[in-house]
Amino acid sequence: MAAIAPVPNYSPSIWVRLCHAIPRLDLTLQTRDSVFTPDSWEYQQTLLVLSSFSAIALVLSLLVVLSFLIHYCCCRRGEGGRDAEDEEEDDDASGGHGYSGRKGRGICCVTWVSVAAVTLCCVAIGIGFYGNSEANDGMYQLTSSLLTANYTLASIDLLVLDTVVGLQQSVSGPLTSMEEVFGGHKPALVPTRSCRRLSERVVSLLSNLTLGRGLIPIADGFYRANGSESIVGALTPAPPSVAPTLSPSTNSIPAPFSPGWAANTLMVNEDYRWLSYVLLLLLDLLVCFFILLGLAKQARWLLILMTVLAWLALFLSWGSLGLETATVVALSDFCFDPNTFVLNSTHFNSRTSTEILDYYLTCSRKMSSPFQQILTQSQRALSSIHSHLSSLERDALPRFPKAEKSLREAQQILNTTEGNFHQLVALLNCRGLNKDYVDSLKGLCYDGMEGLLYLSLYSFLSALAFTAILCSLPGAWRSFHSDSEEYEDSDSESEDPFTSHQARRQTATGSQRGALPPFYSYQGAGWTPPFSSAPPLPTPNVSSNGNPGYENLPLSDRQSPPPSYSPSMLTGYGGSQSHSNPSHSRNLYSH
């Protein structure tokens, strides 16, 4: 087999060459070639082996996360008894907040690791949005080129059908009427029969220009492709921007291959792919946002919920990386030598010769059109028909005026046929279809390949980020004090309800270390009250108008807290009892 010429104006990119050079191993670890044969089981095995690396990376990530969880759950319990006094000293040094010293440094380290992992995840999300947009642009260019090529092919079929139908009508209509009018006049009958014979010859020649598709009329001005139930279009084709998009009747690949079917199938699949990646990116973005919010608010429940969602994002990231790896490698194999696959695939060369495909794929100036002979013969036949009709108009029409109407109809059909023929010659030139083919390759192998590589990088970075997040988040939310820990002693009967929460923590800490020295004491009393942040007790004092007032003095400035009595209590007390010392009641407030 002769060497296949390269595609003009297209060359594989450096990324295609690098991915195509990746070694291939099947399930038995035997080396395979990199020829793109998607229907081969051996080739599919190589893609499965490459995708399995993401599964191995997922297992390693799980082992790393589980090792950190074991460290937090088990090792911390053994270190808790030894580091209890150190942690208590750290709490005292930090004013009861627990963010200085050894424990404070540990919490700060865990928090900054989580923030760094979230930052890496945000960078990966930005890369993912860009890659998703690039891949979508590449697929849009691919489908647009396929629709344009489908319009060109449909236009060729419609022009051929219009020409064939017009010549058949001229044979069955005007030419037959002219033969009847001329009767036995041999000089006029011979050119008329020559026109009939040449018209049938042109119909026979143009019937082979359907490029393996063929059109079957189903209604006035509407046709369908041979071997398919989908409507192709009207007799006068419309451009792709105006013509409606035609959906295939079945999901199976039609024979022969239809660019319109491929474009519609790719558009539907691309819509689902784009939407899936947008949802995945939004999920990662929400997880990162709420992780930062939970760290800022020290909300343990929010971080626990985000930990669960981070597990889901981790599995999705490694899974998408496996699919992207297989897709990138397969796409690089196709883009490295696309002509070989197209020429050897039965979906493309069914009912179409390899010579015709090679002519449109390469469009080399050294190659002549495979339709050149047919077009030349058809052009000569149409020219001969035009000459015969002109001679009949000049010689036979003055003698047979009844044949003028039929002659004018034949000339009108011939003019329409010649116009369609010139359009057909222009469309059958390789430059139009080859441009569509090159544009589709550039969209798929340049923008599409670049977008998939960016998506692969996003999946890899996000998987690493979520691995780090899952390793650091448990240590972060375990270091936060929950509401139950802050108020766990609030229901104790022996606790002063006016004592602040900070004083309660200090009192609980002091009970573990031993008795603290009394902050203040009372003379003549062996009982030492606990520290209280309650306001100073009011002390009654006789004001200038004789009414007992209250003096606000802190307890630390007095020797002992005196009892407080109202005037009514003093009156009742003095009336019910008699004192041996009458000055006792008068000096009650003198202390």
PDB file of all heavy atoms in Angstrom, residues 18 109 119 176 183 264 295 321 363 400 479 504:
ATOM      1  N   LEU A  18       3.681  13.932  22.355  1.00  0.00           N
ATOM      2  CA  LEU A  18       4.108  13.416  23.652  1.00  0.00           C
ATOM      3  C   LEU A  18       3.163  12.335  24.170  1.00  0.00           C
ATOM      4  O   LEU A  18       3.603  11.297  24.675  1.00  0.00           O
ATOM      5  CB  LEU A  18       4.193  14.571  24.660  1.00  0.00           C
ATOM      6  CG  LEU A  18       5.332  15.579  24.444  1.00  0.00           C
ATOM      7  CD1 LEU A  18       5.236  16.701  25.471  1.00  0.00           C
ATOM      8  CD2 LEU A  18       6.681  14.885  24.538  1.00  0.00           C
ATOM      9  N   CYS A 109      -0.737  25.259  62.839  1.00  0.00           N
ATOM     10  CA  CYS A 109      -0.167  24.499  61.716  1.00  0.00           C
ATOM     11  C   CYS A 109      -1.249  23.760  60.944  1.00  0.00           C
ATOM     12  O   CYS A 109      -1.283  23.785  59.716  1.00  0.00           O
ATOM     13  CB  CYS A 109       0.889  23.529  62.238  1.00  0.00           C
ATOM     14  SG  CYS A 109       1.643  22.515  60.969  1.00  0.00           S
ATOM     15  N   THR A 119      -6.583  26.607  49.010  1.00  0.00           N
ATOM     16  CA  THR A 119      -6.060  27.506  47.974  1.00  0.00           C
ATOM     17  C   THR A 119      -5.638  26.726  46.726  1.00  0.00           C
ATOM     18  O   THR A 119      -5.923  27.131  45.593  1.00  0.00           O
ATOM     19  CB  THR A 119      -4.870  28.297  48.523  1.00  0.00           C
ATOM     20  OG1 THR A 119      -5.265  28.999  49.711  1.00  0.00           O
ATOM     21  CG2 THR A 119      -4.355  29.284  47.489  1.00  0.00           C
ATOM     22  N   THR A 176     -40.027  14.138 -26.503  1.00  0.00           N
ATOM     23  CA  THR A 176     -41.013  13.199 -27.073  1.00  0.00           C
ATOM     24  C   THR A 176     -42.040  13.939 -27.930  1.00  0.00           C
ATOM     25  O   THR A 176     -42.432  13.463 -29.009  1.00  0.00           O
ATOM     26  CB  THR A 176     -41.708  12.435 -25.937  1.00  0.00           C
ATOM     27  OG1 THR A 176     -40.737  11.761 -25.141  1.00  0.00           O
ATOM     28  CG2 THR A 176     -42.710  11.437 -26.500  1.00  0.00           C
ATOM     29  N   GLY A 183     -42.216  13.935 -36.977  1.00  0.00           N
ATOM     30  CA  GLY A 183     -42.694  12.773 -37.722  1.00  0.00           C
ATOM     31  C   GLY A 183     -41.611  12.141 -38.575  1.00  0.00           C
ATOM     32  O   GLY A 183     -40.556  11.725 -38.080  1.00  0.00           O
ATOM     33  N   ASN A 264     -24.635  15.727  15.176  1.00  0.00           N
ATOM     34  CA  ASN A 264     -25.737  15.720  16.136  1.00  0.00           C
ATOM     35  C   ASN A 264     -25.409  14.881  17.367  1.00  0.00           C
ATOM     36  O   ASN A 264     -25.703  15.265  18.503  1.00  0.00           O
ATOM     37  CB  ASN A 264     -27.005  15.190  15.465  1.00  0.00           C
ATOM     38  CG  ASN A 264     -27.532  16.129  14.401  1.00  0.00           C
ATOM     39  OD1 ASN A 264     -27.426  17.337  14.528  1.00  0.00           O
ATOM     40  ND2 ASN A 264     -28.076  15.572  13.332  1.00  0.00           N
ATOM     41  N   LEU A 295     -13.531  27.114  59.146  1.00  0.00           N
ATOM     42  CA  LEU A 295     -12.296  27.427  59.861  1.00  0.00           C
ATOM     43  C   LEU A 295     -12.351  28.808  60.491  1.00  0.00           C
ATOM     44  O   LEU A 295     -11.838  29.017  61.598  1.00  0.00           O
ATOM     45  CB  LEU A 295     -11.100  27.332  58.903  1.00  0.00           C
ATOM     46  CG  LEU A 295     -10.732  25.938  58.396  1.00  0.00           C
ATOM     47  CD1 LEU A 295      -9.621  26.033  57.360  1.00  0.00           C
ATOM     48  CD2 LEU A 295     -10.304  25.037  59.547  1.00  0.00           C
ATOM     49  N   LEU A 321     -10.070  11.751  36.479  1.00  0.00           N
ATOM     50  CA  LEU A 321      -8.704  11.705  35.947  1.00  0.00           C
ATOM     51  C   LEU A 321      -8.476  10.423  35.143  1.00  0.00           C
ATOM     52  O   LEU A 321      -7.791  10.440  34.107  1.00  0.00           O
ATOM     53  CB  LEU A 321      -7.703  11.794  37.098  1.00  0.00           C
ATOM     54  CG  LEU A 321      -6.231  11.760  36.691  1.00  0.00           C
ATOM     55  CD1 LEU A 321      -5.896  12.928  35.774  1.00  0.00           C
ATOM     56  CD2 LEU A 321      -5.338  11.768  37.922  1.00  0.00           C
ATOM     57  N   CYS A 363      -6.215  16.361  -0.688  1.00  0.00           N
ATOM     58  CA  CYS A 363      -6.408  17.484  -1.621  1.00  0.00           C
ATOM     59  C   CYS A 363      -5.060  17.948  -2.186  1.00  0.00           C
ATOM     60  O   CYS A 363      -4.712  19.131  -2.130  1.00  0.00           O
ATOM     61  CB  CYS A 363      -7.137  18.640  -0.930  1.00  0.00           C
ATOM     62  SG  CYS A 363      -7.806  19.878  -2.073  1.00  0.00           S
ATOM     63  N   PHE A 400     -41.742  23.825 -38.826  1.00  0.00           N
ATOM     64  CA  PHE A 400     -42.668  23.192 -37.863  1.00  0.00           C
ATOM     65  C   PHE A 400     -42.907  24.167 -36.702  1.00  0.00           C
ATOM     66  O   PHE A 400     -42.285  24.049 -35.627  1.00  0.00           O
ATOM     67  CB  PHE A 400     -42.091  21.874 -37.322  1.00  0.00           C
ATOM     68  CG  PHE A 400     -41.798  20.872 -38.394  1.00  0.00           C
ATOM     69  CD1 PHE A 400     -40.522  20.762 -38.958  1.00  0.00           C
ATOM     70  CD2 PHE A 400     -42.800  20.022 -38.854  1.00  0.00           C
ATOM     71  CE1 PHE A 400     -40.260  19.829 -39.931  1.00  0.00           C
ATOM     72  CE2 PHE A 400     -42.526  19.084 -39.846  1.00  0.00           C
ATOM     73  CZ  PHE A 400     -41.254  18.986 -40.390  1.00  0.00           C
ATOM     74  N   SER A 479      -9.691  20.251  67.425  1.00  0.00           N
ATOM     75  CA  SER A 479      -9.046  21.244  68.286  1.00  0.00           C
ATOM     76  C   SER A 479      -9.996  22.344  68.713  1.00  0.00           C
ATOM     77  O   SER A 479      -9.677  23.099  69.632  1.00  0.00           O
ATOM     78  CB  SER A 479      -7.849  21.868  67.549  1.00  0.00           C
ATOM     79  OG  SER A 479      -6.923  20.874  67.175  1.00  0.00           O
ATOM     80  N   ARG A 504     -14.469  29.765  85.555  1.00  0.00           N
ATOM     81  CA  ARG A 504     -14.813  28.355  85.750  1.00  0.00           C
ATOM     82  C   ARG A 504     -13.729  27.450  85.210  1.00  0.00           C
ATOM     83  O   ARG A 504     -13.354  26.456  85.837  1.00  0.00           O
ATOM     84  CB  ARG A 504     -16.130  28.045  85.038  1.00  0.00           C
ATOM     85  CG  ARG A 504     -17.331  28.756  85.641  1.00  0.00           C
ATOM     86  CD  ARG A 504     -18.551  28.503  84.789  1.00  0.00           C
ATOM     87  NE  ARG A 504     -19.627  29.403  85.132  1.00  0.00           N
ATOM     88  CZ  ARG A 504     -20.731  29.535  84.424  1.00  0.00           C
ATOM     89  NH1 ARG A 504     -20.867  28.814  83.328  1.00  0.00           N
ATOM     90  NH2 ARG A 504     -21.674  30.365  84.796  1.00  0.00           N
TER      91      ARG A 504
END
